[in-house]
Amino acid sequence: MASLAKEGLFYVKDDPQLGQIRGLDPWAVENGIHLIRMEKDAAEGIMMIRESNQQQYGTVHGGILVAFADTVAGHSLVAHGRMCVTQGSTVNFLRPASGAYLFCRGTPVKVGKRICVVSVEQRDDQDELVTTALFTFAVAKEIEPVILPPKHPGLQF
């Protein structure tokens, strides 16, 4: 059972505009995706599970899981000064996603001048592994690196 301090809603209750303040794109925020950390070793985000992102069986739709993973993976490269577009991905769905929220971590495996690769894991609010993925990105342009330290550094997933 997830502790109250670890509950994903902690972030949103503490800061309702978390996604906009933390520099995540409006589409992601509108879909309940919030970036909580973006540093050279990884980017992390949470996604609130709600009716609008579930399919008819009451679990999160696979397309939403891929979009969440893609969003966090892409943001993991911003800390390296890369603005990228997705070139390809392989996603492994390991168990249905349900609960209050999902946690996602994107870890850069290779950061190149033209191609980048990011490994992704998504976990539910019980810390069970829901998906693993590997994303390949094409670098659209180099930008000034942006580091986004965690707003709540004591909260570990």
Side-chain angles (χ1 to χ4, degrees):
M1 186 77 174
S3 72
L4 291 176
K6 193 173 172 182
E7 184 180 334
L9 294 175
F10 172 83
Y11 282 94
V12 178
K13 286 178 183 172
D14 184 58
D15 187 352
Q17 300 301 312
L18 179 67
Q20 285 124 350
I21 290 169
R22 304 302 276 171
L24 192 58
D25 60 85
W27 179 90
V29 172
E30 184 65 29
N31 285 282
I33 297 170
H34 302 277
L35 189 67
I36 58 177
R37 180 170 85 89
M38 185 170 67
E39 296 176 287
K40 286 206 171 205
D41 66 320
E44 298 173 342
I46 57 171
M47 181 180 73
M48 302 298 108
I49 296 178
R50 49 193 181 188
E51 283 186 35
S52 63
N53 59 26
Q54 295 176 14
Q55 36 80 326
Q56 68 272 27
Y57 304 112
T59 59
V60 178
H61 189 282
I64 295 292
L65 292 172
V66 174
F68 180 31
D70 182 49
T71 298
V72 173
H75 280 83
S76 76
L77 298 167
V78 174
H80 294 271
R82 305 292 192 274
M83 187 169 71
C84 299
V85 295
T86 307
Q87 187 173 354
S89 65
T90 301
V91 180
N92 302 294
F93 299 94
L94 306 176
R95 66 174 34 89
S98 60
Y101 69 93
L102 294 172
F103 171 76
C104 182
R105 178 179 290 122
T107 306
V109 175
K110 178 192 183 334
V111 180
K113 285 256 182 221
R114 293 193 295 220
I115 299 293
C116 299
V117 177
V118 179
S119 174
V120 177
E121 285 190 354
Q122 291 176 329
R123 295 183 174 275
D124 63 18
D125 60 3
Q126 303 299 308
D127 202 31
E128 292 182 312
L129 191 60
V130 174
T131 70
T132 61
L134 196 63
F135 282 83
T136 302
F137 292 94
V139 177
K141 71 179 190 177
E142 291 191 36
I143 60 172
E144 192 67 34
V146 178
I147 303 294
L148 185 68
K151 183 171 179 131
H152 304 284
L155 191 60
Q156 297 293 315
F157 288 90

